[in-house]
Amino acid sequence: MSDNELGLFLRSRREAVSPAEAGLPAGKRRRTPGLRRAEVAMLAGVSVEYLIRLEQGRDRHPSPPVLSALAGVLRLTPAERVHLHRLVKSAGPGFSCRGAMGPARTVRPTLRALLDQLEPAAAVLLNQLGDILASTGGFRRLVAPLGLLDDPDANLVRFVLADPRARTAFPDWEHVADEQVAALKQGPFRSNPHGASFADELTVTAGAAFTDRVERVPGLPRASGALRVTHPEAGALRLAYETLELSADDDQRIVVYLPADEATAVALRGLREPLRLVAG
């Protein structure tokens, strides 16, 4: 399992930026996608040797000016820049975070009220480890037939990676699994004992489906996107999702799933039952 998240992130972003995006001439066809190390080093004003050390994890403490230069060359979004800063900070000596006290499981009354107002939409409150803390009735109607709520300590990451039913439920399972691992790795991940313990569990229960992704997927999930679900009662569904990150004190997020087409909207209306808030 990789402990070089900074290097993985820098390398993945370097490979995702084209010479044209970086303002370089296209030149001859390249054997590998993205920018060469020498090109990134030149544009960022650092040596190739130093960039290699960063990508290999032999140097994990670049200065803020170097981070800013690399972020510019790699065309990082604001969210990606924040993530880059967090990766460097978490690698520093004496790093600590509230996650060391355990994943947040307390649900504030206002968050319960907010979920209640989101009915009949499918919405769920998750902590950093993917534990399902509370949800709307719409979410329960959507995922209970899939098997996600069978475990009294339901966890979205565990279900996607370790429950074989998830591969049937999500036609785009590979992408869904990537996003769940990215969300798990966002923040300190193995830098706190609870994240490390959960990672050890998934290493055993999910095997390569988890460990291979830890090696190659940067910890930066998409905040919004599309999700296809094969529902045993409602059939094929297309959902659009939006992630609402809460404050650092909460260390939680709300994910809302909305129908992406009229057929899905009709199918979800057919699943409705008396509205209620479900807390896990």
Side-chain angles (χ1 to χ4, degrees), residues 16-240:
V17 178
S18 68
E21 290 174 314
L24 296 171
K28 298 180 180 179
R29 178 174 296 181
R30 301 177 177 227
R31 294 182 178 179
T32 57
L35 298 175
R36 301 184 179 97
R37 288 193 181 101
E39 293 169 334
V40 173
M42 176 190 68
L43 294 171
V46 300
S47 69
V48 177
E49 291 75 14
Y50 183 61
L51 182 59
I52 291 174
R53 291 204 304 274
L54 289 176
E55 290 193 356
Q56 293 180 346
R58 292 186 286 121
D59 190 319
R60 306 187 185 192
H61 308 99
S63 67
V66 169
L67 286 180
S68 179
L70 289 172
V73 173
L74 299 177
R75 299 296 189 266
L76 299 189
T77 65
E80 288 171 334
R81 287 171 180 261
V82 171
H83 179 65
L84 179 63
H85 171 74
R86 288 174 175 171
L87 288 177
V88 174
K89 184 178 180 181
S90 67
F95 172 76
S96 63
C97 64
R98 74 176 306 280
M101 298 183 292
R105 289 193 169 90
T106 300
V107 181
R108 291 189 285 110
T110 50
L111 293 179
R112 292 185 181 275
L114 175 60
L115 286 172
D116 196 31
Q117 292 298 313
L118 290 174
E119 291 284 8
V124 60
L125 178 67
L126 305 167
N127 64 13
Q128 184 59 46
L129 296 186
D131 295 323
I132 296 177
L133 306 177
S135 64
T136 61
F139 180 79
R140 181 177 181 83
R141 292 190 295 275
L142 175 66
V143 305
L146 306 180
L148 174 54
L149 302 181
D150 288 357
D151 187 341
D153 298 319
N155 180 285
L156 183 57
V157 181
R158 181 186 294 117
F159 176 77
V160 169
L161 293 172
D163 194 316
R165 292 175 294 182
R167 295 178 184 255
T168 300
F170 303 114
D172 305 310
W173 180 85
E174 294 285 348
H175 172 71
V176 174
D178 284 352
E179 288 296 293
Q180 290 305 314
V181 170
L184 182 63
K185 290 174 63 177
Q186 191 176 27
F189 188 40
R190 292 183 67 92
S191 296
N192 72 74
H194 303 280
S197 176
F198 189 46
D200 290 343
E201 174 196 329
L202 291 174
T203 298
V204 175
T205 59
F210 173 67
T211 56
D212 288 353
R213 284 177 168 81
V214 170
E215 293 290 342
R216 62 175 175 80
V217 176
L220 195 66
R222 296 175 183 174
S224 60
L227 177 69
R228 292 197 299 153
V229 177
T230 301
H231 197 278
E233 299 173 10
L237 304 176
R238 292 182 65 250
L239 302 166

